[in-house]
Amino acid sequence: MGPRARSSRRRSWTRALAVAFLPLIFSGFAPRPRPKLGLPGASAQPRPAPSSLFNWSHLTPLELEDRAAGLEPQSPGGRKPCFTLGGHKFQVFGGSIHYFRVPRAYWGDRLRKLKACGFNTVTTYVPWNLHEPERGKFDFSGNLDMEAFVLLAAEMGLWVILRPGPYICSEIDLGGLPSWLLQDSGMRLRTTYKGFTEAVDLYFDHLMARVVPLQYKHGGPIIAVQVENEYGSYNKDPAYMPYIKKALEDRGIVELLLTSDNKDGLQKGVLDGALATINLQSQHELQLLTNFLVSVQRVQPRMVMEYWTGWFDSWGGPHNILDSSEVLKTVSAILDAGSSINLYMFHGGTNFGFINGAMHFHEYKSDVTSYDYDAVLTEAGDYTAKYFKLRDFFGSLSGVPLPPQPSLLPKIAYEPVRPNLYLSLWDALQHMEEPVSSEKPVNMENLPVNDGNGQSFGYTLYETTIASSGVLSGLVRDRGQGYTRLRILVENRGRVNYGDNIDDQRKGLIGNIYLNDAPLKKFRIYSLDMRKSFFQRFSVDKWSPIPEAPTFPAFFLGALSISLSPFDTFMKLEGWEKGVVFINGQNLGRYWNIGPQETLYLPGAWLDQGINQVIVFEERMAGPAIQFTETPHLGRSQYLD
C-alpha cells in the first residue's frame, strides 16, 4: 500500500496501549476468575444464567473474561431460538446514542443513564462524512473520538453494536456519505461503481484498523457489526451488499454481522451470512415483519434493530411525539415475543453545526437542529415519562437491582445578550480569501477549495455583473437570495439522507443561470463554510456599532458573561428570522422562525467562566437580544405521559 494507507493506521501511543491492554484492564476489574464458557459448536445448548432469565450482571465487558464465543445465534432443539454470549443465553437490550451528536464531556452522563434504565448495550452509527471531511484526511479527535466512546461504554459495563455504514441514513447530511464523492459527475452512491468502492476501501482501511481491536474476541465491547443500513429499500446493485460484507471481513471484522431494514426494504435486504433485523414503530408492524423473518431465516433469533421511540422534525412542520404508554406496550410486546431490541433513539442529541439531513419525496424538507426525537432522554439528557416507565419495566425483569439514577445536569436562564457590534456580509467579503473566478457557476462540491475537496456545508455566494434588468431563471439548491450587482447567496440546508435521489444532491447553483434566457458569465464565488477558521479573520477592528437599519445578511457580535461555573441553557431568538449561532467558535446550528423548534441547546460544557463570544449570522431580520431559558421549546408545550 502507498503512504496514505500506511499512515491511516497510525494512532497515538496512548490509544494503542489502551487497546492492546484492554483484556487485562477489564480482567483487573473482575471480582474473581471465571471458568471457560466457550461453546464447542452451533449445536451446543446455551447455559442458563445464574439466577434469573434477565440477570446478566456477570455478562459485562468488565466481568466476562472468556472471549472465545461472542454473540451467537442459537437454535436449541424444541425451544425458541436465542442469542448466547460467552456461552450464556443473552438478550440484547440496546439503546442508540450517537457520540457525534453529544458533547464529549456528556458521554459518560448519557451512558450511565442508559445503564441505570436497565439496558446492556449501546448502539451507534459512524459518520463517514465527519471522519473523512477531505479525501484521505481523517478526524477521530475530540467529539469524533469513536474509540474513546466505545471504551467508555465498556467501562460503564455496556456492550456495543457498531453501525459503520458506509451509508448510515441517521438524518445526517447525505446519509453520512462525504460530499466530495459528488465531484464525480458519474458517481453512483451505494453501488459497486468503481469511484465509490475505491473511496470506501480507503475509508474502511483506516476505520477498521481502529475498530478491530475493540471487538469482543479481542477483549473489547463490540459484539456485533451492521452491514450498511436499510439497503433493501434502495437495492440498486445486487453485488453491493456482498461487497460491503466482504470489505468488513477482509479487514478483520469477526463478530456477528447484521442487516437492518424497515417494512419497505426487508424482503430485498436479506444478505447471506448476516442476521436480518427489523426497524419499526408499531405492534402491527412487529407481527408482520417477524412473520417474514421466520419465513426467510427459519429458526434464528429475532431482533428489532430500530424500535423508533419518536421521530425527527422538519422545518415548518410539527414537533413529532409518541405517547410513553404506547412505547411501553410495544417494548413489552417485542420482549414478550422473545426478540432482542434496540431503542432508536434512547438519546437523540443535537445536529450541531450544519450536519442535519433532509427528505425529498413530494417536496424538499430539511431537518431541524434538535435531534431530540422525543426519545427516552431529552436533547439535553433529562429524564422523560418514557424513561421512568421503561426503568420500572426493565427493573421488574432484572434479577439484580438497577444502578441508581444519575442526577440531572443543572440548567440556568442567563441574562439576555444584546449584541453591540455588527458586520454586514458585504463588508466582510473584503476580509475573506480571494473568491473563485469562473466563467460559469460552479456547484459547492466542485469548487476548487479545501485542497480540491470542494465545499461540504454552509453558504456559497455567487456574484456577477448584469447590464440590464430582466427575469432570472436557473436551478438553485437549496435556498437562494438575490441582491444588487447580482449577488446570489445559496445555503445548503442539508442533503437528502434517505431515498432514491441521493446521487442528485449537489448544492449551490447547478448549471447556468439565465437573465432573459441568456446565460450569465464571469462569476466570483465565495465559499462561506463558517468553520472556526472562517471567523478568525474578523478581528475586533473589523466590526462596527449596530446601525438603526442594518444591511442584511449580517453578523452580530455580543458577549455572554458567566461569573460562576457554567451550566446548560437554551437560547431563544425572538424577533430574529433565520440564521446560525456560534458560541466560542462552536456552531450550535440553525434557527428559523417558521418552527417547530424555538430554542437552541447550549451545553454548559462549551461555555467558559468569564466572557463567552456570541456571533449570530442573520439572513433577514435581527431581534433586540438573545434570550436564555431553562426549558426547551421544540414545538409542543409538554410531553405526553
Side-chain angles (χ1 to χ4, degrees):
M1 296 214 144
R4 177 179 296 170
R6 284 198 299 269
S7 64
S8 72
R9 286 184 164 86
R10 294 173 186 159
R11 54 170 53 84
S12 71
W13 66 271
T14 52
R15 179 59 50 75
L17 284 175
V19 173
F21 288 99
L22 197 59
L24 299 178
I25 293 169
F26 287 165
S27 62
F29 281 102
R32 59 189 182 278
R34 298 185 182 278
K36 295 289 184 180
L37 302 172
L39 293 177
S43 61
Q45 295 295 314
R47 301 166 188 246
S51 59
S52 79
L53 180 62
F54 297 110
N55 179 5
W56 296 304
S57 58
H58 61 302
L59 296 180
T60 73
L62 303 183
E63 292 273 344
L64 190 57
E65 294 180 14
D66 177 23
R67 298 305 183 95
L71 186 67
E72 295 181 347
Q74 299 290 336
S75 305
R79 288 187 289 172
K80 283 186 177 181
C82 64
F83 288 118
T84 58
L85 184 64
H88 295 278
K89 186 174 181 180
F90 185 76
Q91 201 164 354
V92 176
F93 289 0
S96 289
I97 301 174
H98 298 155
Y99 58 94
F100 51 93
R101 283 186 163 120
V102 182
R104 180 170 181 161
Y106 295 160
W107 288 351
D109 173 77
R110 307 319 193 239
L111 291 170
R112 277 189 290 272
K113 289 171 179 170
L114 179 71
K115 183 74 173 177
C117 198
F119 291 82
N120 57 32
T121 303
V122 61
T123 70
T124 186
Y125 282 126
V126 181
W128 181 9
N129 58 346
L130 303 185
H131 286 301
E132 193 179 1
E134 298 179 14
R135 192 183 294 266
K137 295 182 180 179
F138 299 97
D139 185 1
F140 283 82
S141 63
N143 230 81
L144 294 176
D145 195 337
M146 177 271 300
E147 293 151 288
F149 180 79
V150 171
L151 290 169
L152 184 60
E155 290 179 22
M156 301 285 176
L158 293 164
W159 300 108
V160 177
I161 294 178
L162 200 69
R163 311 175 79 186
Y167 165 85
I168 62 173
C169 185
S170 187
E171 289 72 64
I172 193 174
D173 189 276
L174 202 59
L177 301 176
S179 64
W180 46 258
L181 289 167
L182 298 176
Q183 291 181 323
D184 180 350
S185 61
M187 176 57 65
R188 288 183 286 125
L189 302 171
R190 304 181 73 192
T191 70
T192 52
Y193 174 71
K194 184 178 179 182
F196 184 68
T197 58
E198 287 179 345
V200 171
D201 286 341
L202 288 173
Y203 172 57
F204 272 13
D205 283 346
H206 185 98
L207 175 62
M208 296 310 151
R210 295 174 178 272
V211 171
V212 165
L214 300 173
Q215 294 181 101
Y216 176 93
K217 292 184 178 67
H218 292 277
I222 296 176
I223 57 174
V225 175
Q226 185 175 300
V227 184
E228 236 261 356
N229 192 68
E230 295 185 328
Y231 194 73
S233 58
Y234 194 69
N235 193 40
K236 290 193 175 183
D237 184 349
Y240 175 69
M241 286 292 279
Y243 153 72
I244 294 294
K245 176 176 176 285
K246 187 174 186 299
L248 293 169
E249 293 174 332
D250 286 351
R251 288 164 177 80
I253 298 302
V254 294
E255 303 305 335
L256 179 67
L257 295 178
L258 309 168
T259 60
S260 171
D261 284 282
N262 58 30
K263 60 182 174 62
D264 297 326
L266 185 57
Q267 187 170 3
K268 297 178 180 178
V270 176
L271 174 66
D272 286 344
L275 184 73
T277 67
I278 54 180
N279 304 338
L280 53 83
Q281 190 170 70
S282 71
Q283 293 186 55
H284 174 67
E285 290 176 305
L286 173 65
Q287 189 60 50
L288 291 175
L289 296 182
T290 51
N291 287 345
F292 177 80
L293 281 184
V294 169
S295 70
V296 172
Q297 295 190 142
R298 304 297 178 190
V299 285
Q300 292 280 12
R302 296 186 295 273
M303 179 169 180
V304 177
M305 176 56 74
E306 293 186 10
Y307 167 61
W308 301 318
T309 59
W311 202 245
F312 59 91
D313 296 341
S314 302
W315 288 114
H319 174 46
N320 294 299
I321 59 176
L322 182 64
D323 184 81
S324 61
S325 297
E326 182 66 25
V327 169
L328 181 61
K329 288 177 184 177
T330 306
V331 170
S332 178
I334 292 170
L335 297 185
D336 285 347
S339 294
S340 285
I341 189 172
N342 175 64
L343 271 60
Y344 189 100
M345 298 292 297
F346 176 80
H347 171 54
T350 308
N351 291 317
F352 292 117
F354 297 123
I355 70 170
N356 65 272
M359 303 292 280
H360 193 170
F361 292 107
H362 302 297
E363 61 178 314
Y364 174 86
K365 295 181 179 180
S366 59
D367 300 335
V368 302
T369 299
S370 172
Y371 201 62
D372 178 270
Y373 209 85
D374 194 31
V376 181
L377 292 181
T378 69
E379 179 181 14
D382 292 337
Y383 298 121
T384 66
K386 292 176 185 176
Y387 185 95
F388 296 126
K389 289 180 180 180
L390 288 171
R391 177 176 157 82
D392 287 345
F393 174 66
F394 285 125
S396 70
L397 302 177
S398 177
V400 294
L402 297 181
Q405 286 179 209
S407 300
L408 294 179
L409 298 176
K411 311 294 186 297
I412 192 171
Y414 292 108
E415 290 298 314
V417 169
R418 297 184 181 275
N420 52 7
L421 294 175
Y422 145 96
L423 179 63
S424 77
L425 176 59
W426 316 135
D427 291 336
L429 295 179
Q430 62 185 306
H431 307 303
M432 296 181 187
E433 295 178 359
E434 276 297 305
V436 173
S437 296
S438 176
E439 189 70 10
K440 299 179 179 180
V442 180
N443 57 284
M444 285 186 180
E445 296 79 6
N446 287 95
L447 286 174
V449 297
N450 298 318
D451 294 329
N453 289 277
Q455 180 182 344
S456 295
F457 304 115
Y459 296 76
T460 303
L461 177 65
Y462 297 83
E463 182 180 273
T464 190
T465 302
I466 56 176
S468 63
S469 60
V471 177
L472 282 173
S473 60
L475 180 55
V476 179
R477 292 204 188 107
D478 287 310
R479 173 181 162 92
Q481 303 174 61
Y483 303 92
T484 57
R485 198 193 301 175
L486 193 57
R487 287 167 163 164
I488 303 176
L489 180 65
V490 184
E491 176 193 11
N492 169 15
R493 283 171 46 200
R495 295 180 181 86
V496 165
N497 57 268
Y498 181 86
D500 293 336
N501 56 345
I502 61 170
D503 288 341
D504 189 27
Q505 291 304 306
R506 294 167 184 87
K507 299 297 184 179
L509 292 184
I510 312 299
N512 284 317
I513 190 162
Y514 299 86
L515 180 64
N516 297 329
D517 297 326
L520 296 175
K521 306 288 186 182
K522 301 186 184 309
F523 283 85
R524 290 161 56 85
I525 307 172
Y526 294 85
S527 173
L528 312 176
D529 55 15
M530 299 192 188
R531 293 186 286 189
K532 281 188 177 182
S533 58
F534 177 87
F535 292 101
Q536 291 173 356
R537 54 178 67 94
F538 302 150
S539 54
V540 176
D541 61 302
K542 307 293 192 303
W543 299 79
S544 304
I546 301 176
E548 284 193 19
T551 300
F552 292 95
F555 300 94
F556 294 83
L557 176 63
L560 171 61
S561 179
I562 299 177
S563 57
L564 302 175
S565 296
F567 294 134
D568 287 3
T569 188
F570 300 90
M571 301 183 71
K572 192 170 177 64
L573 289 106
E574 288 186 353
W576 304 72
E577 184 168 318
K578 184 180 185 301
V580 191
V581 178
F582 305 83
I583 302 288
N584 296 330
Q586 294 273 6
N587 187 337
L588 294 189
R590 307 171 220 258
Y591 64 90
W592 198 353
N593 65 358
I594 65 172
Q597 180 177 355
E598 299 176 24
T599 54
L600 288 174
Y601 173 50
L602 173 51
W606 289 356
L607 293 170
D608 299 323
Q609 188 174 353
I611 301 299
N612 295 267
Q613 183 194 68
V614 181
I615 295 178
V616 179
F617 176 67
E618 168 58 52
E619 295 181 17
R620 304 189 64 170
M621 182 176 68
I626 302 159
Q627 299 173 329
F628 298 89
T629 174
E630 299 176 1
T631 308
H633 298 277
L634 299 177
R636 307 247 183 172
S637 60
Q638 62 183 15
Y639 291 99
L640 295 178
D641 287 333

